Amino acid sequence: MSPVPFGARLRAAMDARGPLCVGIDPHASLLADWGLSDDVAGLEAFSRTVVEALADRVAVLKPQSAFFERFGSRGIAVLEETVAAARQAGALVLMDAKRGDIGSTMAAYAATYLDPASPLFSDAVTVSPYLGFGSLAPAVDLARENGCGLFALALTSNPEGQEVQHAVRADGRTVAATVLGHLKAANADAASRGELGSYGAVVGATLGDLSSYDLATGGPLLAPGIGAQGATPADLPRVFGDAVRNVVPSVSRGVLRHGPDVAALRAAALGCADEVRTAVDEVRTPVERQGL
């Protein structure tokens, strides 16, 4: 049997648990705020607590690989345990690795996160398309084969990104619009069936009016920037328009600062998910609100 595509699993998770992704970002400062040491023991305690608190309640957990990699092989071992525990508890795991390369190297990156035989096998991974979207073909193909997803950087919230993403190509389209167009093509089959596609874009929630861009790619839109970066759930309809139905807001510090208390972490995450659901519901039609 073919695996259930990531897009379908994501839609089901968001419907059941609310449209929210919580990052697992063990910054040194956050470890200190939790009263943990900035070492592998602190990393392990932090990650275990987040998984215990949230993996059976939120739709998506997003470990930031860099904060595990900085501890070397022992940090990667903690990341492997975190991914496995989160998936076992029912969360979809989005590995935030932002990988991008060409040829056999890209294929190796894809196998690291999208091959079920890998100890870092995740439901989806973030990727960088800035060696050309075609360079991501090994990841696109393996994601399709194994029912996984991708989130390609498209319109990021960091100011430096504009010099690349807003650059205008010879055909008059911006680089970001080109990336969004490739994702729309990759999601065409799912869209023809009325399903959410598995190939998503990263689009910052802090960017304001994006009406000049076609965000209706047929796939999910990972939206960082809620909370500490200044955006709120109420901003989502203004930023994303009709595409807000496919937005997966990503929150890290806004939830994690409530730790290490498990109950407080859960309350913060569920409260944020409720706010997002309310904001999205305001732009749904009456028929959509009834789930028809």
Side-chain angles (χ1 to χ4, degrees), residues 99-101 106 110 127-130 132-141 150 152:
R99 299 300 193 230
D101 216 303
M106 190 64 231
V127 292
S128 174
Y130 295 110
F133 193 87
S135 67
L136 300 178
V140 172
D141 293 343
L150 302 177

Side-chain angles (χ1 to χ4, degrees), residues 187-199:
N187 288 317
D189 286 347
S192 69
R193 300 190 297 270
E195 300 173 357
L196 182 65
S198 297
Y199 306 102

